[in-house]
Amino acid sequence: MEEIEIKELLEHFKNNFFKFTLITFGICLLGCLYALFLQKPVYTSSTTLVLTGVSTGSNSSGTITTEAINLNSKLITTYREIAKSRKVVEQVIDELKLEQTFEALSSSIDVSSVNNTEIIRISVVNMEAKKAKEIADTLAGVFSKEIQDIYNVQNISILDPANMPEYASNINIPKQLIIYVGIGFVLACAFLFLTFYFDTTIKSVEQVEMKIGLPILGSVPNYANRRKN
């Protein structure tokens, strides 16, 4: 493998700074044009539910006890799976008359606990803001009803209804611009490095001496760019 002179490599980068800038700027421009005109926006709507005191047929006081809190904490993981189960999701599809399959809708749903608390956040991604809100609200209602039927308890209340998203969740021009600058920087560096590495032309007297192993007795200066007398 041919040795690379760091000094010559840096000189190559310096002499091709315009190409470096052009490549970086070009990647940023193409990325921004894609984000503004080609990237399809999607919207995310979220609703939150809170696990409250257990209320059953025999105990309807609704008092929050330590035992109830511990039970709710253990049930959060199970509740996540139930919220995305076929039984719940297909009811949402039927109720809203959606033209989506169970797999497609389920993949657009995210269920998580908020900062390891007893609050569950249900987020839905859709290409229509209104549709995302409707699905999130309907899912929260169906999920709460199914929990009551399965466990025979009433320990879930809707804390915040789903919001109407005003902006697309997948388009963030400032953030994407930083990413495109990074990509452009890496590609520009790679391009200049490859052009330097595969360039076999002789650029200096030192390179001639290194390749042939003999000292150079003299060299002819290049006067092409000097003004003629």
PDB file of all heavy atoms in Angstrom, residues 51-56 59 63-79 117-118 120 147 151-156:
ATOM      1  N   LEU A  51     -53.111   5.648  35.314  1.00  0.00           N
ATOM      2  CA  LEU A  51     -53.617   4.525  36.093  1.00  0.00           C
ATOM      3  C   LEU A  51     -53.997   5.032  37.476  1.00  0.00           C
ATOM      4  O   LEU A  51     -53.153   5.536  38.219  1.00  0.00           O
ATOM      5  CB  LEU A  51     -52.559   3.436  36.195  1.00  0.00           C
ATOM      6  CG  LEU A  51     -52.003   2.899  34.872  1.00  0.00           C
ATOM      7  CD1 LEU A  51     -51.063   1.734  35.127  1.00  0.00           C
ATOM      8  CD2 LEU A  51     -53.113   2.491  33.931  1.00  0.00           C
ATOM      9  N   THR A  52     -55.255   4.880  37.827  1.00  0.00           N
ATOM     10  CA  THR A  52     -55.764   5.404  39.098  1.00  0.00           C
ATOM     11  C   THR A  52     -55.988   4.268  40.078  1.00  0.00           C
ATOM     12  O   THR A  52     -55.589   3.130  39.851  1.00  0.00           O
ATOM     13  CB  THR A  52     -57.082   6.149  38.855  1.00  0.00           C
ATOM     14  OG1 THR A  52     -58.033   5.245  38.278  1.00  0.00           O
ATOM     15  CG2 THR A  52     -56.869   7.309  37.891  1.00  0.00           C
ATOM     16  N   GLY A  53     -56.667   4.588  41.164  1.00  0.00           N
ATOM     17  CA  GLY A  53     -56.973   3.555  42.156  1.00  0.00           C
ATOM     18  C   GLY A  53     -57.900   2.516  41.580  1.00  0.00           C
ATOM     19  O   GLY A  53     -58.778   2.802  40.768  1.00  0.00           O
ATOM     20  N   VAL A  54     -57.705   1.273  41.989  1.00  0.00           N
ATOM     21  CA  VAL A  54     -58.509   0.174  41.464  1.00  0.00           C
ATOM     22  C   VAL A  54     -59.933   0.265  42.009  1.00  0.00           C
ATOM     23  O   VAL A  54     -60.145   0.426  43.205  1.00  0.00           O
ATOM     24  CB  VAL A  54     -57.893  -1.185  41.847  1.00  0.00           C
ATOM     25  CG1 VAL A  54     -58.767  -2.327  41.366  1.00  0.00           C
ATOM     26  CG2 VAL A  54     -56.490  -1.297  41.259  1.00  0.00           C
ATOM     27  N   SER A  55     -60.882   0.163  41.107  1.00  0.00           N
ATOM     28  CA  SER A  55     -62.293   0.193  41.500  1.00  0.00           C
ATOM     29  C   SER A  55     -62.973  -1.036  40.933  1.00  0.00           C
ATOM     30  O   SER A  55     -63.086  -1.199  39.730  1.00  0.00           O
ATOM     31  CB  SER A  55     -62.971   1.465  40.963  1.00  0.00           C
ATOM     32  OG  SER A  55     -64.346   1.458  41.274  1.00  0.00           O
ATOM     33  N   THR A  56     -63.422  -1.951  41.788  1.00  0.00           N
ATOM     34  CA  THR A  56     -64.105  -3.166  41.354  1.00  0.00           C
ATOM     35  C   THR A  56     -65.530  -3.152  41.862  1.00  0.00           C
ATOM     36  O   THR A  56     -65.968  -2.217  42.530  1.00  0.00           O
ATOM     37  CB  THR A  56     -63.370  -4.414  41.900  1.00  0.00           C
ATOM     38  OG1 THR A  56     -63.438  -4.394  43.332  1.00  0.00           O
ATOM     39  CG2 THR A  56     -61.911  -4.437  41.465  1.00  0.00           C
ATOM     40  N   ASN A  59     -65.313  -3.236  45.688  1.00  0.00           N
ATOM     41  CA  ASN A  59     -64.630  -2.094  46.293  1.00  0.00           C
ATOM     42  C   ASN A  59     -64.649  -0.948  45.321  1.00  0.00           C
ATOM     43  O   ASN A  59     -63.856  -0.899  44.397  1.00  0.00           O
ATOM     44  CB  ASN A  59     -63.184  -2.453  46.656  1.00  0.00           C
ATOM     45  CG  ASN A  59     -62.449  -1.270  47.269  1.00  0.00           C
ATOM     46  OD1 ASN A  59     -63.095  -0.328  47.725  1.00  0.00           O
ATOM     47  ND2 ASN A  59     -61.130  -1.327  47.274  1.00  0.00           N
ATOM     48  N   THR A  63     -60.187   4.616  46.400  1.00  0.00           N
ATOM     49  CA  THR A  63     -59.047   5.078  47.188  1.00  0.00           C
ATOM     50  C   THR A  63     -57.746   4.520  46.624  1.00  0.00           C
ATOM     51  O   THR A  63     -57.635   3.327  46.330  1.00  0.00           O
ATOM     52  CB  THR A  63     -59.186   4.630  48.648  1.00  0.00           C
ATOM     53  OG1 THR A  63     -60.428   5.108  49.152  1.00  0.00           O
ATOM     54  CG2 THR A  63     -58.044   5.177  49.487  1.00  0.00           C
ATOM     55  N   ILE A  64     -56.754   5.391  46.458  1.00  0.00           N
ATOM     56  CA  ILE A  64     -55.465   4.978  45.929  1.00  0.00           C
ATOM     57  C   ILE A  64     -54.608   4.464  47.067  1.00  0.00           C
ATOM     58  O   ILE A  64     -54.271   5.206  47.989  1.00  0.00           O
ATOM     59  CB  ILE A  64     -54.753   6.140  45.211  1.00  0.00           C
ATOM     60  CG1 ILE A  64     -55.630   6.655  44.066  1.00  0.00           C
ATOM     61  CG2 ILE A  64     -53.396   5.717  44.689  1.00  0.00           C
ATOM     62  CD1 ILE A  64     -55.047   7.853  43.347  1.00  0.00           C
ATOM     63  N   THR A  65     -54.274   3.204  47.014  1.00  0.00           N
ATOM     64  CA  THR A  65     -53.452   2.590  48.049  1.00  0.00           C
ATOM     65  C   THR A  65     -52.095   2.227  47.469  1.00  0.00           C
ATOM     66  O   THR A  65     -51.904   2.209  46.249  1.00  0.00           O
ATOM     67  CB  THR A  65     -54.137   1.330  48.596  1.00  0.00           C
ATOM     68  OG1 THR A  65     -54.251   0.373  47.527  1.00  0.00           O
ATOM     69  CG2 THR A  65     -55.525   1.657  49.131  1.00  0.00           C
ATOM     70  N   THR A  66     -51.156   1.915  48.384  1.00  0.00           N
ATOM     71  CA  THR A  66     -49.825   1.492  47.939  1.00  0.00           C
ATOM     72  C   THR A  66     -49.912   0.216  47.136  1.00  0.00           C
ATOM     73  O   THR A  66     -49.205   0.032  46.136  1.00  0.00           O
ATOM     74  CB  THR A  66     -48.915   1.281  49.160  1.00  0.00           C
ATOM     75  OG1 THR A  66     -48.861   2.479  49.930  1.00  0.00           O
ATOM     76  CG2 THR A  66     -47.512   0.895  48.717  1.00  0.00           C
ATOM     77  N   GLU A  67     -50.810  -0.670  47.557  1.00  0.00           N
ATOM     78  CA  GLU A  67     -50.994  -1.924  46.824  1.00  0.00           C
ATOM     79  C   GLU A  67     -51.480  -1.665  45.406  1.00  0.00           C
ATOM     80  O   GLU A  67     -51.032  -2.308  44.450  1.00  0.00           O
ATOM     81  CB  GLU A  67     -51.991  -2.803  47.580  1.00  0.00           C
ATOM     82  CG  GLU A  67     -52.226  -4.162  46.918  1.00  0.00           C
ATOM     83  CD  GLU A  67     -53.249  -4.995  47.663  1.00  0.00           C
ATOM     84  OE1 GLU A  67     -53.701  -4.546  48.745  1.00  0.00           O
ATOM     85  OE2 GLU A  67     -53.593  -6.076  47.172  1.00  0.00           O
ATOM     86  N   ALA A  68     -52.386  -0.710  45.254  1.00  0.00           N
ATOM     87  CA  ALA A  68     -52.898  -0.379  43.924  1.00  0.00           C
ATOM     88  C   ALA A  68     -51.813   0.215  43.043  1.00  0.00           C
ATOM     89  O   ALA A  68     -51.717  -0.078  41.849  1.00  0.00           O
ATOM     90  CB  ALA A  68     -54.072   0.596  44.046  1.00  0.00           C
ATOM     91  N   ILE A  69     -50.979   1.077  43.642  1.00  0.00           N
ATOM     92  CA  ILE A  69     -49.884   1.697  42.877  1.00  0.00           C
ATOM     93  C   ILE A  69     -48.903   0.642  42.394  1.00  0.00           C
ATOM     94  O   ILE A  69     -48.460   0.649  41.245  1.00  0.00           O
ATOM     95  CB  ILE A  69     -49.170   2.763  43.725  1.00  0.00           C
ATOM     96  CG1 ILE A  69     -50.122   3.943  43.995  1.00  0.00           C
ATOM     97  CG2 ILE A  69     -47.912   3.253  43.031  1.00  0.00           C
ATOM     98  CD1 ILE A  69     -49.546   5.000  44.910  1.00  0.00           C
ATOM     99  N   ASN A  70     -48.550  -0.295  43.275  1.00  0.00           N
ATOM    100  CA  ASN A  70     -47.627  -1.361  42.885  1.00  0.00           C
ATOM    101  C   ASN A  70     -48.223  -2.237  41.795  1.00  0.00           C
ATOM    102  O   ASN A  70     -47.531  -2.654  40.859  1.00  0.00           O
ATOM    103  CB  ASN A  70     -47.264  -2.212  44.102  1.00  0.00           C
ATOM    104  CG  ASN A  70     -46.445  -1.444  45.124  1.00  0.00           C
ATOM    105  OD1 ASN A  70     -45.728  -0.503  44.763  1.00  0.00           O
ATOM    106  ND2 ASN A  70     -46.529  -1.830  46.383  1.00  0.00           N
ATOM    107  N   LEU A  71     -49.510  -2.513  41.911  1.00  0.00           N
ATOM    108  CA  LEU A  71     -50.181  -3.325  40.893  1.00  0.00           C
ATOM    109  C   LEU A  71     -50.183  -2.613  39.546  1.00  0.00           C
ATOM    110  O   LEU A  71     -49.908  -3.215  38.506  1.00  0.00           O
ATOM    111  CB  LEU A  71     -51.609  -3.632  41.343  1.00  0.00           C
ATOM    112  CG  LEU A  71     -52.489  -4.395  40.322  1.00  0.00           C
ATOM    113  CD1 LEU A  71     -51.880  -5.756  40.021  1.00  0.00           C
ATOM    114  CD2 LEU A  71     -53.911  -4.529  40.857  1.00  0.00           C
ATOM    115  N   ASN A  72     -50.483  -1.314  39.566  1.00  0.00           N
ATOM    116  CA  ASN A  72     -50.504  -0.543  38.327  1.00  0.00           C
ATOM    117  C   ASN A  72     -49.132  -0.522  37.658  1.00  0.00           C
ATOM    118  O   ASN A  72     -49.012  -0.626  36.432  1.00  0.00           O
ATOM    119  CB  ASN A  72     -50.960   0.885  38.601  1.00  0.00           C
ATOM    120  CG  ASN A  72     -52.456   0.962  38.911  1.00  0.00           C
ATOM    121  OD1 ASN A  72     -53.204   0.070  38.536  1.00  0.00           O
ATOM    122  ND2 ASN A  72     -52.866   2.016  39.602  1.00  0.00           N
ATOM    123  N   SER A  73     -48.080  -0.380  38.458  1.00  0.00           N
ATOM    124  CA  SER A  73     -46.719  -0.332  37.910  1.00  0.00           C
ATOM    125  C   SER A  73     -46.385  -1.630  37.196  1.00  0.00           C
ATOM    126  O   SER A  73     -45.735  -1.639  36.150  1.00  0.00           O
ATOM    127  CB  SER A  73     -45.707  -0.061  39.023  1.00  0.00           C
ATOM    128  OG  SER A  73     -45.967   1.183  39.645  1.00  0.00           O
ATOM    129  N   LYS A  74     -46.817  -2.745  37.771  1.00  0.00           N
ATOM    130  CA  LYS A  74     -46.537  -4.040  37.157  1.00  0.00           C
ATOM    131  C   LYS A  74     -47.370  -4.250  35.897  1.00  0.00           C
ATOM    132  O   LYS A  74     -46.984  -5.006  35.008  1.00  0.00           O
ATOM    133  CB  LYS A  74     -46.814  -5.157  38.157  1.00  0.00           C
ATOM    134  CG  LYS A  74     -45.864  -5.162  39.360  1.00  0.00           C
ATOM    135  CD  LYS A  74     -46.218  -6.263  40.336  1.00  0.00           C
ATOM    136  CE  LYS A  74     -45.280  -6.258  41.538  1.00  0.00           C
ATOM    137  NZ  LYS A  74     -45.616  -7.316  42.536  1.00  0.00           N
ATOM    138  N   LEU A  75     -48.531  -3.603  35.826  1.00  0.00           N
ATOM    139  CA  LEU A  75     -49.425  -3.816  34.697  1.00  0.00           C
ATOM    140  C   LEU A  75     -49.099  -2.942  33.487  1.00  0.00           C
ATOM    141  O   LEU A  75     -49.618  -3.202  32.395  1.00  0.00           O
ATOM    142  CB  LEU A  75     -50.870  -3.544  35.124  1.00  0.00           C
ATOM    143  CG  LEU A  75     -51.526  -4.581  36.032  1.00  0.00           C
ATOM    144  CD1 LEU A  75     -52.902  -4.102  36.454  1.00  0.00           C
ATOM    145  CD2 LEU A  75     -51.615  -5.933  35.331  1.00  0.00           C
ATOM    146  N   ILE A  76     -48.258  -1.936  33.652  1.00  0.00           N
ATOM    147  CA  ILE A  76     -47.992  -0.996  32.559  1.00  0.00           C
ATOM    148  C   ILE A  76     -47.446  -1.718  31.334  1.00  0.00           C
ATOM    149  O   ILE A  76     -47.868  -1.476  30.200  1.00  0.00           O
ATOM    150  CB  ILE A  76     -47.028   0.118  33.013  1.00  0.00           C
ATOM    151  CG1 ILE A  76     -47.775   1.111  33.917  1.00  0.00           C
ATOM    152  CG2 ILE A  76     -46.445   0.856  31.815  1.00  0.00           C
ATOM    153  CD1 ILE A  76     -46.923   2.253  34.419  1.00  0.00           C
ATOM    154  N   THR A  77     -46.481  -2.611  31.536  1.00  0.00           N
ATOM    155  CA  THR A  77     -45.906  -3.352  30.409  1.00  0.00           C
ATOM    156  C   THR A  77     -46.972  -4.180  29.698  1.00  0.00           C
ATOM    157  O   THR A  77     -47.019  -4.233  28.461  1.00  0.00           O
ATOM    158  CB  THR A  77     -44.770  -4.270  30.892  1.00  0.00           C
ATOM    159  OG1 THR A  77     -43.775  -3.486  31.554  1.00  0.00           O
ATOM    160  CG2 THR A  77     -44.129  -4.987  29.723  1.00  0.00           C
ATOM    161  N   THR A  78     -47.841  -4.804  30.471  1.00  0.00           N
ATOM    162  CA  THR A  78     -48.928  -5.589  29.882  1.00  0.00           C
ATOM    163  C   THR A  78     -49.893  -4.691  29.124  1.00  0.00           C
ATOM    164  O   THR A  78     -50.369  -5.032  28.031  1.00  0.00           O
ATOM    165  CB  THR A  78     -49.684  -6.362  30.974  1.00  0.00           C
ATOM    166  OG1 THR A  78     -48.750  -7.147  31.722  1.00  0.00           O
ATOM    167  CG2 THR A  78     -50.745  -7.255  30.370  1.00  0.00           C
ATOM    168  N   TYR A  79     -50.190  -3.540  29.694  1.00  0.00           N
ATOM    169  CA  TYR A  79     -51.116  -2.606  29.056  1.00  0.00           C
ATOM    170  C   TYR A  79     -50.593  -2.133  27.697  1.00  0.00           C
ATOM    171  O   TYR A  79     -51.370  -1.894  26.769  1.00  0.00           O
ATOM    172  CB  TYR A  79     -51.346  -1.401  29.961  1.00  0.00           C
ATOM    173  CG  TYR A  79     -52.281  -1.683  31.125  1.00  0.00           C
ATOM    174  CD1 TYR A  79     -52.569  -0.697  32.073  1.00  0.00           C
ATOM    175  CD2 TYR A  79     -52.876  -2.923  31.284  1.00  0.00           C
ATOM    176  CE1 TYR A  79     -53.420  -0.945  33.140  1.00  0.00           C
ATOM    177  CE2 TYR A  79     -53.729  -3.183  32.342  1.00  0.00           C
ATOM    178  CZ  TYR A  79     -53.995  -2.197  33.270  1.00  0.00           C
ATOM    179  OH  TYR A  79     -54.836  -2.453  34.316  1.00  0.00           O
ATOM    180  N   THR A 117     -43.505   6.634  35.091  1.00  0.00           N
ATOM    181  CA  THR A 117     -44.624   6.927  35.989  1.00  0.00           C
ATOM    182  C   THR A 117     -45.802   6.017  35.626  1.00  0.00           C
ATOM    183  O   THR A 117     -45.680   5.115  34.793  1.00  0.00           O
ATOM    184  CB  THR A 117     -45.047   8.397  35.860  1.00  0.00           C
ATOM    185  OG1 THR A 117     -45.526   8.634  34.520  1.00  0.00           O
ATOM    186  CG2 THR A 117     -43.872   9.323  36.137  1.00  0.00           C
ATOM    187  N   GLU A 118     -46.944   6.274  36.232  1.00  0.00           N
ATOM    188  CA  GLU A 118     -48.156   5.513  35.931  1.00  0.00           C
ATOM    189  C   GLU A 118     -48.970   6.168  34.830  1.00  0.00           C
ATOM    190  O   GLU A 118     -50.154   5.876  34.664  1.00  0.00           O
ATOM    191  CB  GLU A 118     -48.997   5.362  37.199  1.00  0.00           C
ATOM    192  CG  GLU A 118     -48.320   4.540  38.281  1.00  0.00           C
ATOM    193  CD  GLU A 118     -49.178   4.412  39.529  1.00  0.00           C
ATOM    194  OE1 GLU A 118     -50.399   4.244  39.395  1.00  0.00           O
ATOM    195  OE2 GLU A 118     -48.617   4.496  40.630  1.00  0.00           O
ATOM    196  N   ILE A 120     -49.535   6.653  30.851  1.00  0.00           N
ATOM    197  CA  ILE A 120     -49.287   5.977  29.582  1.00  0.00           C
ATOM    198  C   ILE A 120     -49.565   6.959  28.446  1.00  0.00           C
ATOM    199  O   ILE A 120     -50.621   7.603  28.411  1.00  0.00           O
ATOM    200  CB  ILE A 120     -50.184   4.734  29.436  1.00  0.00           C
ATOM    201  CG1 ILE A 120     -49.880   3.721  30.548  1.00  0.00           C
ATOM    202  CG2 ILE A 120     -49.992   4.084  28.070  1.00  0.00           C
ATOM    203  CD1 ILE A 120     -50.795   2.514  30.525  1.00  0.00           C
ATOM    204  N   ILE A 147     -59.656  -2.966  28.949  1.00  0.00           N
ATOM    205  CA  ILE A 147     -59.016  -3.216  30.243  1.00  0.00           C
ATOM    206  C   ILE A 147     -60.065  -3.536  31.303  1.00  0.00           C
ATOM    207  O   ILE A 147     -59.897  -4.435  32.131  1.00  0.00           O
ATOM    208  CB  ILE A 147     -58.161  -2.008  30.675  1.00  0.00           C
ATOM    209  CG1 ILE A 147     -56.955  -1.868  29.759  1.00  0.00           C
ATOM    210  CG2 ILE A 147     -57.710  -2.151  32.124  1.00  0.00           C
ATOM    211  CD1 ILE A 147     -56.007  -3.043  29.792  1.00  0.00           C
ATOM    212  N   TYR A 151     -59.788  -7.256  32.979  1.00  0.00           N
ATOM    213  CA  TYR A 151     -59.368  -7.342  34.384  1.00  0.00           C
ATOM    214  C   TYR A 151     -60.510  -7.087  35.373  1.00  0.00           C
ATOM    215  O   TYR A 151     -60.318  -7.217  36.583  1.00  0.00           O
ATOM    216  CB  TYR A 151     -58.241  -6.336  34.650  1.00  0.00           C
ATOM    217  CG  TYR A 151     -56.932  -6.722  34.010  1.00  0.00           C
ATOM    218  CD1 TYR A 151     -56.568  -6.172  32.787  1.00  0.00           C
ATOM    219  CD2 TYR A 151     -56.065  -7.625  34.616  1.00  0.00           C
ATOM    220  CE1 TYR A 151     -55.366  -6.517  32.183  1.00  0.00           C
ATOM    221  CE2 TYR A 151     -54.869  -7.976  34.022  1.00  0.00           C
ATOM    222  CZ  TYR A 151     -54.520  -7.412  32.801  1.00  0.00           C
ATOM    223  OH  TYR A 151     -53.338  -7.756  32.202  1.00  0.00           O
ATOM    224  N   ASN A 152     -61.663  -6.669  34.843  1.00  0.00           N
ATOM    225  CA  ASN A 152     -62.807  -6.347  35.709  1.00  0.00           C
ATOM    226  C   ASN A 152     -62.440  -5.271  36.739  1.00  0.00           C
ATOM    227  O   ASN A 152     -62.813  -5.349  37.903  1.00  0.00           O
ATOM    228  CB  ASN A 152     -63.316  -7.606  36.429  1.00  0.00           C
ATOM    229  CG  ASN A 152     -64.685  -7.388  37.052  1.00  0.00           C
ATOM    230  OD1 ASN A 152     -65.468  -6.549  36.575  1.00  0.00           O
ATOM    231  ND2 ASN A 152     -64.971  -8.102  38.128  1.00  0.00           N
ATOM    232  N   VAL A 153     -61.669  -4.296  36.275  1.00  0.00           N
ATOM    233  CA  VAL A 153     -61.289  -3.168  37.124  1.00  0.00           C
ATOM    234  C   VAL A 153     -61.468  -1.877  36.324  1.00  0.00           C
ATOM    235  O   VAL A 153     -61.484  -1.882  35.098  1.00  0.00           O
ATOM    236  CB  VAL A 153     -59.816  -3.272  37.600  1.00  0.00           C
ATOM    237  CG1 VAL A 153     -59.623  -4.460  38.515  1.00  0.00           C
ATOM    238  CG2 VAL A 153     -58.857  -3.330  36.417  1.00  0.00           C
ATOM    239  N   GLN A 154     -61.597  -0.799  37.060  1.00  0.00           N
ATOM    240  CA  GLN A 154     -61.692   0.518  36.428  1.00  0.00           C
ATOM    241  C   GLN A 154     -60.568   1.384  36.995  1.00  0.00           C
ATOM    242  O   GLN A 154     -60.781   2.183  37.896  1.00  0.00           O
ATOM    243  CB  GLN A 154     -63.059   1.151  36.695  1.00  0.00           C
ATOM    244  CG  GLN A 154     -64.227   0.367  36.096  1.00  0.00           C
ATOM    245  CD  GLN A 154     -65.572   1.009  36.406  1.00  0.00           C
ATOM    246  OE1 GLN A 154     -65.643   2.043  37.063  1.00  0.00           O
ATOM    247  NE2 GLN A 154     -66.642   0.383  35.943  1.00  0.00           N
ATOM    248  N   ASN A 155     -59.387   1.190  36.449  1.00  0.00           N
ATOM    249  CA  ASN A 155     -58.231   1.910  36.982  1.00  0.00           C
ATOM    250  C   ASN A 155     -57.523   2.746  35.926  1.00  0.00           C
ATOM    251  O   ASN A 155     -56.367   3.111  36.077  1.00  0.00           O
ATOM    252  CB  ASN A 155     -57.226   0.925  37.605  1.00  0.00           C
ATOM    253  CG  ASN A 155     -56.583   0.017  36.569  1.00  0.00           C
ATOM    254  OD1 ASN A 155     -57.178  -0.258  35.523  1.00  0.00           O
ATOM    255  ND2 ASN A 155     -55.383  -0.445  36.856  1.00  0.00           N
ATOM    256  N   ILE A 156     -58.231   3.060  34.836  1.00  0.00           N
ATOM    257  CA  ILE A 156     -57.637   3.891  33.783  1.00  0.00           C
ATOM    258  C   ILE A 156     -58.547   5.075  33.503  1.00  0.00           C
ATOM    259  O   ILE A 156     -59.753   4.916  33.303  1.00  0.00           O
ATOM    260  CB  ILE A 156     -57.420   3.089  32.493  1.00  0.00           C
ATOM    261  CG1 ILE A 156     -56.332   2.035  32.699  1.00  0.00           C
ATOM    262  CG2 ILE A 156     -57.010   4.000  31.350  1.00  0.00           C
ATOM    263  CD1 ILE A 156     -55.984   1.277  31.449  1.00  0.00           C
TER     264      ILE A 156
END
